Amino acid sequence: MNTLAPYIRRAPLISTLPVELQTDLERAGEERSYRRRQIVFMADQLNDYVYLLSSGRVKLVRVSPTGREITLYIVNPMEFFGEAHLFDDNVSYDMTAEVLEDADVVVFRRTEIVEALTRSPESMRELTILQANRRAQAENRLTEYVFYDVPTRVARLLTRLSSTHGRYSKGGSLIRLKLTHQEIANLIGSTRETTTLILNDFRRRGLIELQGRRIVVSDSAGLRDLAH
């Protein structure tokens, strides 16, 4: 049994499986560690594996032929990724997975996950919820690109990150994710130069503080007003 077994059983897709199937997956999983900016898989690779993030953060991105990058999702610990075409053979991943923060990952063969899930209606339900949530995130991101200007998109992103990755600190809510201005730009569909100008404007207005690659939301109410 691998050393991450207690963590594997916390993942929704696995926790709802019968105990004997959980044990089979624990034995089958391969532990890997990745450093920031390492690629877990590329969009043109066959989807032979499914990944469970144990620690750290991974971003799922799409890259245009000209090299422009859009970040669609940030994967958090105890979440699976690479599952988009789980039941399709000989299909490539539709996104690239890049490590955002040093990460530990458990890797399963796709066929092993499929075999386990098909024997558990509860786990199939969890898979449906995961895929539906990711689809909703993508649709919300598309709506923001179409209907909101860039400052509003930055405000909406920082409000979300403060809610999901923030912790109280002196001066406000510290967003624990370390993001470069380019990574923020990729999350909102803009350029690094425009994003930097907007962040500096937010800082001058007292909405945020910039601490290297960390952001502190100083005025949550003001940021929410701008986001809406």
Side-chain angles (χ1 to χ4, degrees):
M1 183 179 295
N2 65 59
T3 57
L4 290 176
Y7 302 97
I8 291 174
R9 290 181 183 242
R10 289 170 46 200
L13 282 184
I14 294 180
S15 65
T16 50
L17 289 170
V19 173
E20 64 272 16
L21 293 180
Q22 294 183 24
T23 302
D24 289 344
L25 287 178
E26 288 165 7
R27 291 170 177 164
E30 176 190 347
E31 300 173 32
R32 298 180 187 174
S33 294
Y34 295 87
R35 302 291 290 178
R36 174 175 164 81
R37 297 191 184 281
Q38 274 192 279
I39 300 297
V40 181
F41 58 77
M42 298 290 292
D44 57 354
Q45 289 179 227
L46 286 178
N47 66 330
D48 291 332
Y49 299 94
V50 182
Y51 303 82
L52 171 63
L53 184 63
S54 300
S55 66
R57 298 287 189 281
V58 170
K59 60 180 181 178
L60 300 180
V61 305
R62 283 186 175 167
V63 182
S64 74
T66 61
R68 184 177 178 183
E69 180 180 301
I70 295 292
T71 300
L72 293 178
Y73 317 107
I74 293 177
V75 183
N76 296 307
M78 297 302 104
E79 291 182 355
F80 275 87
F81 60 105
E83 83 305 326
H85 298 286
L86 188 62
F87 297 96
D88 298 325
D89 296 325
N90 299 316
V91 174
S92 299
Y93 297 110
D94 54 3
M95 286 174 279
T96 294
E98 181 181 333
V99 176
L100 190 59
E101 295 178 350
D102 291 357
D104 292 314
V105 176
V106 184
V107 185
F108 303 94
R109 289 191 178 275
R110 181 181 60 82
T111 51
E112 294 167 342
I113 294 292
V114 168
E115 181 179 356
L117 293 185
T118 52
R119 296 169 60 185
S120 172
E122 292 82 3
S123 292
M124 287 292 289
R125 177 178 179 275
E126 291 296 335
L127 174 64
T128 301
I129 291 172
L130 171 64
Q131 293 180 331
N133 286 340
R134 294 225 166 121
R135 189 176 302 111
Q137 289 179 48
E139 290 173 354
N140 289 339
R141 195 67 52 80
L142 178 61
T143 299
E144 289 184 348
Y145 294 164
V146 173
F147 293 112
Y148 295 103
D149 60 19
V150 179
T152 304
R153 299 206 299 264
V154 175
R156 290 172 69 87
L157 173 66
L158 296 182
T159 298
R160 284 198 302 270
L161 293 179
S162 178
S163 175
T164 57
H165 295 90
R167 66 173 174 82
Y168 176 79
S169 69
K170 183 178 180 181
S173 175
L174 172 66
I175 297 174
R176 287 171 291 179
L177 282 178
K178 292 182 178 180
L179 297 169
T180 66
H181 289 190
Q182 182 62 64
E183 287 166 338
I184 293 173
N186 293 344
L187 280 163
I188 62 167
S190 184
T191 64
R192 180 188 60 78
E193 294 80 5
T194 298
T195 300
T196 296
L197 288 173
I198 292 168
L199 290 172
N200 286 333
D201 179 57
F202 284 7
R203 177 182 54 79
R204 285 191 295 269
R205 294 163 63 178
L207 298 172
I208 64 172
E209 293 179 13
L210 302 176
Q211 300 177 355
R213 288 195 288 119
R214 300 263 194 190
I215 296 176
V216 176
V217 176
S218 309
D219 184 357
S220 297
L223 200 63
R224 283 195 301 270
D225 288 342
L226 185 58
H228 295 291

